[in-house]
Amino acid sequence: MSFLQLDTSLPFKVADINLADFGIKEMALSENEMPGLMAIREKYGDKKPLKGLKITGSLHMTIQTAMLIDTLKELGADIRWASCNIFSTQDHSAAAIAKKGSAAVFAWKGENLEEYWWCTHQALIWPDNTGPDLIVDDGGDATLFIHYGVDIEKDPSLLDKEYDSEDMRCLVGRLKEVYTKDPKFWTNIASKVKGVSEETTTGVHRLYQLASENNLLFPAVNVNDAVTKSKFDNLYGCRESLADGIKRATDIMIAGKVVVVCGYGDVGKGCAESMRGFGARVMVTEIDPICALQALMQGYEVITMEKAVKMGDIFVSATGCCDVITGRHMEMMKDEAIICNIGHFDSEIEMSFLENNKDCIKENIKPQVDRWRLKSGKSIVVLAEGRLVNLGCATGHSSFVMSASFTNQCLAQIKLVSEKLEKQVYVLDKKLDEEVARLHLKRFDASLEKLTKKQADYLGVSVDGPFKPDFYRY
Ligand code: NAD
Ligand code: 9W1
C-alpha cells in the first residue's frame, strides 16, 4: 500500500495561505462573541499554565477553533493541529493559523481519508520525533491513533487483519510503517501523554469503553457532559442553525407552514421553538411519553409520523435514532415537501430508498439541495443529502456557542496538567461549569444575586457555589 510520507519538518499544509488575512479578520470579529475564551486569556495569560507543553489538536479547523488554538497558545502551549472531519475545515481559518504561526496546522476542506489520517499523524509528531503532552480530541481519532499504535506493538498480528472500514485501513497502513521502523514507538509516545480532553459524545463513549476494559493509556476529561457544553451544542446551537440551514438551502418562508419535528429531546426542543418563532405550526413525534408530554405542555401537537406525513411542509429529524423518515413516509408526503436531518449524522433519513430506486429521479438544484421525483409523480426536496442540515447547508454553531464549549476545553487542559489523575475518565467539577457560565454572562448586562450565609445554609449550599446538587438536570 502506498501512502503519504510523514514530514514533521513541514510547518503546515493548508488549501490556500492567501486566505489568511480574511481568516484573521474573522477571528478578530469573533472576539466579542467568544467572551469565555477571551476571559481565559486574560486570567491565565501571565501564569502560562501550559508553558512548554506540546498539544495535539484533532478538532474541526474553523474560525472558532482558531480562537481556541490562539487561547491555548497564550497559555504557553506548543501546538500542532488537524481537523477531525474531512469536510469541516474552513480554509481561511486554517490559513490564518498557519500564517500567524499559532500552530503547525494540517487541514483543508475536502481531504480524502488517506490525507485525513496523514494530517492527524502530522499533528501527533513533533520535528524531534516526540509526541504530545496533551491532546484536544473531537471524536477520538487522535486518541485512537495512539491507542491502536500501542495495541499493535503488543499484538503485531493486528497489522495483518482485514479491516472493514476505509478509515481503519488508512490508519493501520500508517501504523505498519511506524512499527517496522520502531516497534516501541507508540508505547513511548503514550507514556509521556498527560491526558486528553474529549469534545463529543462519540469520543467520550470510546473513552469510557477503554477505561472499563482497563485499556486507557492516560487520564481523560469528558468535556461533552458539561452543562455549558451540551446544552449550548444541542439546544441553543441547533435553535439558531436549523433555520439558517433551511433558509440558505431553499429561501423558503417558514411562517404558516406545518413543520414536523421528529424527536423532542434537546435538539428537537430547540428546533421546534425556532420554527414556532418564525410562525410555523409545529407538530412533534416522540416515543418517550415524558418528552411527548413536555411538547404538549409547550402547546405542540404530538402525533405519529403516519399522520404527520400527509400534513407537513417541512420535516426535521432530531432523534439520534435510525429510519425516522423512511421511503414509505416520503411517498405519502405532500408535493414539494422539504425533508432534512439535524440529529444523527446519517441514519435518520432512509436515503437508500431514493438512491437505490429506479423510480426515484434526482434533480440537483445546487450543492446540498436535491429535488427527488418519486414514482407517484410528486417530488420532495432533500437537504444535505439527509446528513446534518446545519453543517451541510449552513456553517455549524455560532461563535458564542463554541466559546462555551471551548472554554470547557481550556479548563480541561489546565486540569490535566495541574492535578494528579488516574487513567480514568473525569468530568469537570460543577464549579467549573458554573465558572464557564459566569464568564459568558459578561457579554450581557446581567448581574446575579449573591447568597447571604443564612440563605446558603437554608439551601444547603456554599455561598460561592456549586448551587445545584450533582444529579440536577438543567
Ligand atoms: P435526546 O436523546 O435528548 O433526544 C432525542 C429524542 O428523540 C428523545 O426524546 C427520544 O425519545 C426521541 N426519539 C428517539 N427515537 C425516536 C423516533 N423513532 N421517533 C421519534 N422520536 C424519537 O438527544 P439530543 O441531545 O436531542 O440529540 C439528538 C441527536 O442530535 C443526536 O444524534 C445528537 O448527536 C445530534 N446532535 C446534532 C447536532 C448538530 O449540530 N446537528 C448538535 C447536537 C446533537
Ligand atoms: N466545531 N467549530 C461544518 C461540526 C461536523 C462543521 C461539523 C464547530 C465549529 C456540530 C461542531 C460547514 C463547522 C463545523 C463549520 C461547518 C460538528 C460535525 C461546530 C457543530 C459539530 C460532524 N460535527 N460544530 N464552528 N462540521 O459548529 O468547531 O461549516
Side-chain angles (χ1 to χ4, degrees):
M1 186 173 172
S2 76
F3 74 99
L4 301 167
Q5 198 67 44
L6 195 72
D7 179 2
T8 58
S9 68
L10 204 63
F12 59 83
K13 188 168 167 68
V14 301
D16 182 1
I17 195 68
N18 295 314
L19 300 173
D21 291 340
F22 174 36
I24 290 167
K25 282 189 244 174
E26 283 214 332
M27 286 173 70
L29 198 59
S30 77
E31 285 182 15
N32 198 34
E33 282 293 287
M34 303 195 84
L37 288 184
M38 301 313 286
I40 293 279
R41 293 183 195 183
E42 187 93 339
K43 178 164 180 192
Y44 295 101
D46 293 335
K47 293 181 218 153
K48 306 240 177 276
L50 305 179
K51 193 177 167 66
L53 295 170
K54 291 173 287 172
I55 298 183
T56 292
S58 167
L59 203 163
H60 310 290
M61 186 59 251
T62 62
I63 289 296
Q64 295 75 36
T65 301
M67 294 295 287
L68 168 63
I69 292 171
D70 268 5
T71 306
L72 295 170
K73 177 98 183 162
E74 190 131 340
L75 307 195
D78 171 4
I79 309 169
R80 299 176 75 79
W81 212 270
S83 187
C84 62
N85 181 291
I86 57 173
F87 293 119
S88 63
T89 298
Q90 295 171 331
D91 288 323
H92 64 315
S93 317
I97 287 303
K99 182 165 178 189
K100 293 179 78 171
S102 309
V105 54
F106 306 92
W108 57 95
K109 187 176 176 72
E111 296 159 6
N112 64 36
L113 287 177
E114 185 81 33
E115 291 165 340
Y116 173 81
W117 287 100
W118 176 82
C119 288
T120 308
H121 200 172
Q122 287 282 120
L124 277 165
I125 309 299
W126 268 253
D128 63 358
N129 225 23
T130 59
D133 299 296
L134 291 162
I135 299 169
V136 175
D137 217 348
D138 181 336
D141 282 351
T143 303
L144 172 69
F145 213 120
I146 296 178
H147 279 75
Y148 214 71
V150 170
D151 284 347
I152 284 171
E153 288 166 11
K154 285 191 195 140
D155 175 10
S157 77
L158 291 174
L159 288 170
D160 305 315
K161 261 179 52 178
E162 294 274 340
Y163 291 89
D164 291 341
S165 84
E166 168 93 25
D167 271 305
M168 282 307 283
R169 286 194 293 272
C170 292
L171 171 59
V172 174
R174 306 205 67 84
L175 290 172
K176 188 171 208 160
E177 182 80 9
V178 178
Y179 184 76
T180 49
K181 284 194 188 132
D182 179 356
K184 280 273 159 276
F185 186 80
W186 293 107
T187 306
N188 287 327
I189 296 279
S191 72
K192 301 199 173 80
V193 177
K194 293 183 196 300
V196 59
S197 56
E198 168 58 53
E199 175 84 359
T200 58
T201 317
T202 329
V204 162
H205 182 74
R206 282 196 200 172
L207 288 171
Y208 283 112
Q209 251 177 332
L210 283 171
S212 76
E213 296 155 356
N214 267 323
N215 287 330
L216 192 57
L217 297 170
F218 34 76
V221 177
N222 166 358
V223 169
N224 183 66
D225 291 312
V227 177
T228 50
K229 195 280 180 181
S230 52
K231 278 286 156 176
F232 278 69
D233 234 45
N234 303 352
L235 184 62
Y236 310 123
C238 294
R239 192 171 66 183
E240 305 220 358
S241 59
L242 171 68
D244 189 8
I246 293 173
K247 285 190 165 291
R248 287 197 209 201
T250 66
D251 298 309
I252 198 177
M253 178 95 172
I254 292 169
K257 300 293 192 306
V258 172
V259 177
V260 179
V261 176
C262 308
Y264 196 70
D266 277 340
V267 173
K269 285 177 173 76
C271 292
E273 190 183 346
S274 160
M275 295 294 101
R276 166 184 279 174
F278 277 95
R281 226 163 9 114
V282 177
M283 299 180 181
V284 166
T285 72
E286 253 297 342
I287 52 164
D288 177 340
I290 299 175
C291 293
L293 192 55
Q294 285 183 306
L296 287 158
M297 293 300 100
Q298 294 297 328
Y300 302 114
E301 198 169 331
V302 176
I303 58 171
T304 61
M305 257 319 248
E306 192 77 20
K307 287 210 176 117
V309 281
K310 296 182 211 83
M311 295 188 270
D313 298 293
I314 302 174
F315 294 82
V316 181
S317 64
T319 67
C321 188
C322 63
D323 301 335
V324 178
I325 302 176
T326 63
R328 214 174 54 76
H329 293 142
M330 296 174 201
E331 285 182 313
M332 295 189 282
M333 287 175 186
K334 289 205 260 187
D335 194 28
E336 307 272 288
I338 295 170
I339 69 176
C340 63
N341 164 39
I342 195 167
H344 183 274
F345 66 96
D346 72 349
S347 66
E348 305 220 8
I349 299 179
E350 192 194 357
M351 288 303 291
S352 59
F353 169 82
L354 297 170
E355 285 159 354
N356 308 329
N357 188 334
K358 63 174 173 34
D359 295 323
C360 300
I361 295 162
K362 176 163 100 171
E363 179 193 10
N364 178 250
I365 309 289
K366 63 181 181 186
Q368 312 286 344
V369 184
D370 296 299
R371 175 160 47 195
W372 285 87
R373 195 161 53 77
L374 309 183
K375 193 175 180 184
S376 64
K378 286 188 290 187
S379 297
I380 57 170
V381 177
V382 182
L383 308 189
E385 299 177 17
R387 298 207 172 78
L388 302 175
V389 63
N390 61 331
L391 309 181
C393 302
T395 56
H397 294 333
S398 308
S399 292
F400 192 80
V401 166
M402 297 314 297
S403 177
S405 195
F406 289 167
T407 304
N408 283 294
Q409 280 287 357
C410 293
L411 296 176
Q413 291 286 305
I414 294 170
K415 178 184 175 81
L416 287 167
V417 298
S418 57
E419 294 176 27
K420 174 95 192 71
L421 302 174
E422 306 291 320
K423 293 171 182 175
Q424 280 178 18
V425 187
Y426 295 83
V427 289
L428 290 168
D429 298 338
K430 191 173 281 292
K431 252 189 129 130
L432 289 181
D433 220 344
E434 290 177 353
E435 183 61 21
V436 172
R438 223 181 265 289
L439 296 177
H440 288 84
L441 290 176
K442 292 186 177 151
R443 177 68 178 75
F444 311 100
D445 277 328
S447 13
L448 301 193
E449 296 292 338
K450 186 138 181 52
L451 286 177
T452 63
K453 183 74 181 69
K454 181 184 169 204
Q455 287 175 313
D457 289 345
Y458 185 84
L459 292 176
V461 302
S462 150
V463 286
D464 41 27
F467 298 102
K468 297 286 195 293
D470 279 339
F471 54 80
Y472 187 84
R473 286 195 296 265
Y474 292 83

Coordinates of all heavy atoms in Angstrom, one line a residue, residues 395-433:
T395 N -23.2 26.9 8.5 CA -21.8 26.8 8.9 C -21.7 26.4 10.4 O -20.8 26.9 11.1 CB -21.0 28.1 8.7 OG1 -21.7 29.2 9.4 CG2 -20.9 28.4 7.2
G396 N -22.6 25.5 10.8 CA -22.5 25.0 12.2 C -22.9 26.0 13.2 O -23.7 26.8 13.0
H397 N -22.3 25.8 14.4 CA -22.7 26.6 15.5 C -22.1 28.0 15.5 O -21.0 28.2 15.0 CB -22.4 25.9 16.8 CG -23.1 24.7 17.1 ND1 -24.4 24.4 16.5 CD2 -22.8 23.5 17.8 CE1 -24.8 23.2 16.9 NE2 -23.9 22.7 17.7
S398 N -22.8 28.9 16.1 CA -22.2 30.3 16.3 C -21.0 30.3 17.2 O -20.8 29.4 18.0 CB -23.3 31.2 16.9 OG -24.5 31.1 16.2
S399 N -20.3 31.4 17.1 CA -19.1 31.5 17.9 C -19.4 31.5 19.4 O -18.7 30.9 20.2 CB -18.4 32.9 17.6 OG -17.8 32.8 16.3
F400 N -20.5 32.1 19.8 CA -20.9 32.2 21.2 C -21.1 30.8 21.8 O -20.6 30.5 22.9 CB -22.1 33.0 21.4 CG -22.4 33.4 22.8 CD1 -21.7 34.4 23.5 CD2 -23.3 32.6 23.6 CE1 -21.9 34.7 24.8 CE2 -23.5 32.9 24.9 CZ -22.8 33.9 25.5
V401 N -21.8 29.9 21.0 CA -22.0 28.6 21.4 C -20.7 27.8 21.5 O -20.4 27.1 22.5 CB -22.9 27.9 20.3 CG1 -22.9 26.3 20.5 CG2 -24.3 28.4 20.4
M402 N -19.8 28.0 20.5 CA -18.5 27.3 20.6 C -17.6 27.9 21.7 O -16.8 27.1 22.3 CB -17.8 27.4 19.2 CG -18.5 26.8 18.1 SD -19.1 25.1 18.4 CE -17.7 24.2 18.7
S403 N -17.8 29.1 22.1 CA -17.0 29.7 23.1 C -17.3 29.0 24.5 O -16.3 28.7 25.2 CB -17.3 31.2 23.3 OG -16.6 31.7 24.4
A404 N -18.5 28.7 24.7 CA -18.9 27.9 25.9 C -18.2 26.6 25.9 O -17.5 26.2 26.9 CB -20.4 27.8 26.0
S405 N -18.3 25.9 24.8 CA -17.7 24.6 24.6 C -16.2 24.7 24.8 O -15.6 23.9 25.6 CB -18.0 24.1 23.2 OG -17.8 22.8 23.1
F406 N -15.5 25.6 24.2 CA -14.1 25.6 24.1 C -13.5 26.2 25.4 O -12.3 25.9 25.8 CB -13.6 26.4 22.9 CG -13.8 25.7 21.6 CD1 -13.7 26.4 20.4 CD2 -14.1 24.3 21.6 CE1 -13.9 25.7 19.2 CE2 -14.3 23.7 20.4 CZ -14.2 24.4 19.2
T407 N -14.3 27.0 26.2 CA -13.8 27.4 27.5 C -13.7 26.2 28.4 O -12.7 26.1 29.1 CB -14.8 28.5 28.1 OG1 -14.9 29.5 27.1 CG2 -14.2 29.0 29.4
N408 N -14.6 25.3 28.3 CA -14.5 24.0 29.0 C -13.3 23.2 28.6 O -12.6 22.6 29.4 CB -15.8 23.1 28.7 CG -17.0 23.6 29.6 OD1 -17.0 23.5 30.8 ND2 -18.0 24.1 28.9
Q409 N -13.0 23.3 27.3 CA -11.8 22.6 26.8 C -10.5 23.2 27.5 O -9.6 22.4 27.9 CB -11.6 22.7 25.3 CG -12.5 21.8 24.4 CD -11.9 20.4 24.5 OE1 -10.9 20.0 25.1 NE2 -12.7 19.5 23.8
C410 N -10.4 24.5 27.5 CA -9.3 25.1 28.2 C -9.1 24.7 29.6 O -8.1 24.4 30.1 CB -9.4 26.6 28.1 SG -9.2 27.3 26.4
L411 N -10.3 24.7 30.3 CA -10.2 24.3 31.8 C -9.9 22.9 31.9 O -9.2 22.5 32.9 CB -11.6 24.6 32.4 CG -12.0 26.1 32.5 CD1 -13.3 26.3 33.0 CD2 -10.9 26.9 33.3
A412 N -10.3 22.0 31.0 CA -9.9 20.6 31.0 C -8.4 20.4 30.8 O -7.8 19.6 31.5 CB -10.7 19.9 29.9
Q413 N -7.9 21.2 29.9 CA -6.4 21.1 29.6 C -5.7 21.5 30.9 O -4.7 20.9 31.3 CB -6.0 22.0 28.4 CG -6.5 21.4 27.1 CD -5.8 20.2 26.6 OE1 -4.6 20.2 26.5 NE2 -6.5 19.1 26.3
I414 N -6.1 22.6 31.5 CA -5.4 23.0 32.8 C -5.6 22.0 33.9 O -4.6 21.7 34.6 CB -6.0 24.4 33.2 CG1 -5.6 25.5 32.2 CG2 -5.5 24.8 34.6 CD1 -6.3 26.8 32.4
K415 N -6.8 21.3 33.9 CA -7.0 20.3 34.9 C -6.0 19.1 34.7 O -5.4 18.6 35.7 CB -8.4 19.7 34.8 CG -8.8 18.6 35.8 CD -10.2 18.1 35.5 CE -10.5 16.8 36.4 NZ -10.9 17.2 37.8
L416 N -5.8 18.8 33.5 CA -4.9 17.6 33.1 C -3.5 17.8 33.6 O -2.7 16.9 33.9 CB -5.0 17.3 31.6 CG -6.3 16.6 31.1 CD1 -6.3 16.7 29.6 CD2 -6.4 15.2 31.6
V417 N -3.0 19.1 33.6 CA -1.6 19.4 34.0 C -1.5 19.8 35.4 O -0.4 19.8 36.0 CB -1.0 20.5 33.1 CG1 -0.9 20.0 31.6 CG2 -1.7 21.8 33.2
S418 N -2.6 20.1 36.1 CA -2.4 20.7 37.4 C -2.9 19.7 38.5 O -2.7 20.0 39.7 CB -3.1 22.0 37.6 OG -4.5 21.9 37.2
E419 N -3.5 18.6 38.1 CA -3.9 17.6 39.1 C -3.2 16.3 38.9 O -2.9 15.9 37.8 CB -5.4 17.4 39.1 CG -6.2 18.7 39.5 CD -7.7 18.5 39.3 OE1 -8.2 17.4 39.4 OE2 -8.4 19.6 39.1
K420 N -3.1 15.5 40.0 CA -2.6 14.1 39.8 C -3.8 13.2 39.5 O -4.7 13.1 40.3 CB -2.0 13.7 41.2 CG -1.5 12.3 41.2 CD 0.0 12.1 40.9 CE 0.4 10.7 40.7 NZ -0.2 10.1 39.4
L421 N -3.8 12.7 38.3 CA -5.0 12.0 37.8 C -4.7 10.5 37.5 O -3.5 10.2 37.1 CB -5.6 12.6 36.6 CG -6.0 14.1 36.7 CD1 -6.4 14.7 35.4 CD2 -7.2 14.3 37.7
E422 N -5.7 9.7 37.7 CA -5.5 8.2 37.3 C -5.9 8.1 35.8 O -6.4 9.0 35.2 CB -6.5 7.4 38.1 CG -6.4 7.6 39.6 CD -5.1 7.0 40.2 OE1 -4.7 5.9 39.7 OE2 -4.5 7.7 41.1
K423 N -5.6 6.9 35.3 CA -6.0 6.6 33.9 C -7.5 6.3 33.8 O -7.9 5.1 33.7 CB -5.2 5.5 33.3 CG -3.7 5.9 33.2 CD -2.8 4.7 32.9 CE -1.4 5.1 32.8 NZ -0.4 4.0 32.6
Q424 N -8.3 7.3 34.0 CA -9.7 7.2 34.1 C -10.4 8.4 33.3 O -9.7 9.3 32.9 CB -10.2 7.4 35.6 CG -10.0 6.2 36.4 CD -10.5 6.6 37.8 OE1 -11.2 7.6 38.0 NE2 -10.1 5.7 38.8
V425 N -11.7 8.4 33.2 CA -12.4 9.5 32.6 C -13.0 10.4 33.7 O -13.8 9.9 34.5 CB -13.5 9.0 31.7 CG1 -14.1 10.1 30.9 CG2 -13.0 7.9 30.7
Y426 N -12.6 11.6 33.7 CA -13.1 12.6 34.6 C -14.1 13.5 34.0 O -14.0 13.8 32.8 CB -12.0 13.4 35.2 CG -11.0 12.6 36.0 CD1 -10.0 11.9 35.4 CD2 -11.1 12.6 37.4 CE1 -9.0 11.2 36.1 CE2 -10.2 11.8 38.1 CZ -9.2 11.1 37.5 OH -8.3 10.4 38.2
V427 N -15.0 14.1 34.7 CA -15.8 15.2 34.2 C -15.4 16.5 35.0 O -14.8 16.4 36.0 CB -17.4 15.0 34.5 CG1 -17.9 13.9 33.6 CG2 -17.7 14.8 35.9
L428 N -15.6 17.6 34.4 CA -15.2 18.9 35.0 C -16.1 19.1 36.2 O -17.3 18.8 36.2 CB -15.4 20.0 34.0 CG -14.3 20.0 32.9 CD1 -14.7 21.0 31.8 CD2 -12.9 20.3 33.5
D429 N -15.6 19.7 37.3 CA -16.4 20.0 38.5 C -17.5 20.9 38.1 O -17.4 21.8 37.3 CB -15.5 20.7 39.5 CG -14.4 19.9 40.0 OD1 -14.5 18.6 39.9 OD2 -13.4 20.4 40.5
K430 N -18.6 20.8 38.8 CA -19.8 21.6 38.6 C -19.4 23.1 38.8 O -19.9 24.0 38.1 CB -20.9 21.3 39.5 CG -22.2 21.9 39.2 CD -23.4 21.5 40.0 CE -23.9 20.1 39.6 NZ -24.6 20.2 38.3
K431 N -18.4 23.4 39.7 CA -18.0 24.7 39.9 C -17.3 25.3 38.7 O -17.5 26.5 38.4 CB -17.0 24.8 41.1 CG -17.6 25.4 42.3 CD -16.5 25.6 43.4 CE -16.5 27.0 43.9 NZ -16.5 27.0 45.4
L432 N -16.6 24.5 37.9 CA -16.0 25.0 36.7 C -17.1 25.2 35.6 O -17.0 26.2 34.9 CB -15.0 23.9 36.1 CG -13.7 23.8 37.0 CD1 -12.8 22.8 36.3 CD2 -13.0 25.2 37.1
D433 N -18.1 24.4 35.6 CA -19.3 24.6 34.7 C -19.9 25.9 35.0 O -20.2 26.7 34.1 CB -20.3 23.4 35.0 CG -20.9 22.9 33.7 OD1 -20.8 23.6 32.7 OD2 -21.6 21.8 33.8

